[in-house]
Structure formats: structure tokens, C-alpha cells
């Protein structure tokens, strides 16, 4: 079982329209990477800013990523930004 201190941090988030984004930092306690193109499943656009976390990767549903080990991310850190969507894991690498 991975502890919070072992989870990779979101190093940078370029999804400025996300309500968890504050000066390119992720304020979500933990994000989930999922979907066809490694989308940040925690991305949300609402009328106010929130979060006070330190932007960790809590889960990764992309089993085809080389950093995925039993649904957990083993990258040292991740970057989130525009890919196929406004908020994709740019650290994703196919196995």
C-alpha cells in the first residue's frame, strides 16, 4: 500500500481553467488519471477556486502507462496540461 508521502506530486498544472489550479500549482489533495488519453479526472471548471492540498497523484487508471504499477503512479512527479483535452497527464508514456 502506498502512503501519501510516496505518491508523486503534480509538479506543474497548465490547466488554468481548472478550479484546483492556483498559479500553475494543483490544490487538489489527490488527482486521478483516467480515460482514453490520460485525462486528469479531477479537472473541474466551476465559478470559484478551491482546494488546499498539495496535488498528488492518488490513482492512475491507465494500465498501459509505463509508470503504472497496480493502478498507482511510480513517476517521480507529473505535469498536467493540454493534450487531447485541457487537462491531461503529460508525463504519460505508453509501455
Amino acid at each position: 500500500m502506498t502512503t501519501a508521502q510516496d505518491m508523486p506530486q503534480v509538479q506543474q498544472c497548465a490547466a488554468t481553467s481548472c478550479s484546483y489550479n492556483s498559479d500553475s500549482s494543483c490544490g487538489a489533495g489527490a488527482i486521478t488519471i483516467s480515460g482514453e488519453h490520460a485525462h486528469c479526472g479531477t479537472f473541474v471548471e466551476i465559478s470559484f477556486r478551491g482546494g488546499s492540498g498539495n496535488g498528488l497523484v492518488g490513482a492512475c487508471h491507465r494500465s498501459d502507462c509505463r509508470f503504472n504499477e497496480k493502478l498507482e503512479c511510480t513517476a517521480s512527479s507529473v505535469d498536467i496540461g493540454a493534450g487531447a483535452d485541457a487537462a491531461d497527464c503529460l508525463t504519460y508514456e505508453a509501455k
Side-chain angles (χ1 to χ4, degrees), residues 22-91:
S22 177
D23 296 323
S24 296
S25 293
C26 180
I31 67 169
T32 298
I33 304 300
S34 61
E36 271 182 43
H37 41 78
H39 180 72
C40 177
T42 313
F43 174 81
V44 63
E45 287 182 284
I46 52 179
S47 62
F48 60 90
R49 297 289 173 171
S52 60
N54 53 357
L56 303 174
V57 181
C60 178
H61 298 168
R62 292 300 309 259
S63 60
D64 62 332
C65 180
R66 79 178 199 95
F67 297 112
N68 188 312
E69 174 92 20
K70 298 181 182 176
L71 300 177
E72 295 181 354
C73 182
T74 62
S76 58
S77 65
V78 300
D79 291 328
I80 304 296
D85 279 331
D88 288 342
C89 179
L90 302 178
T91 308

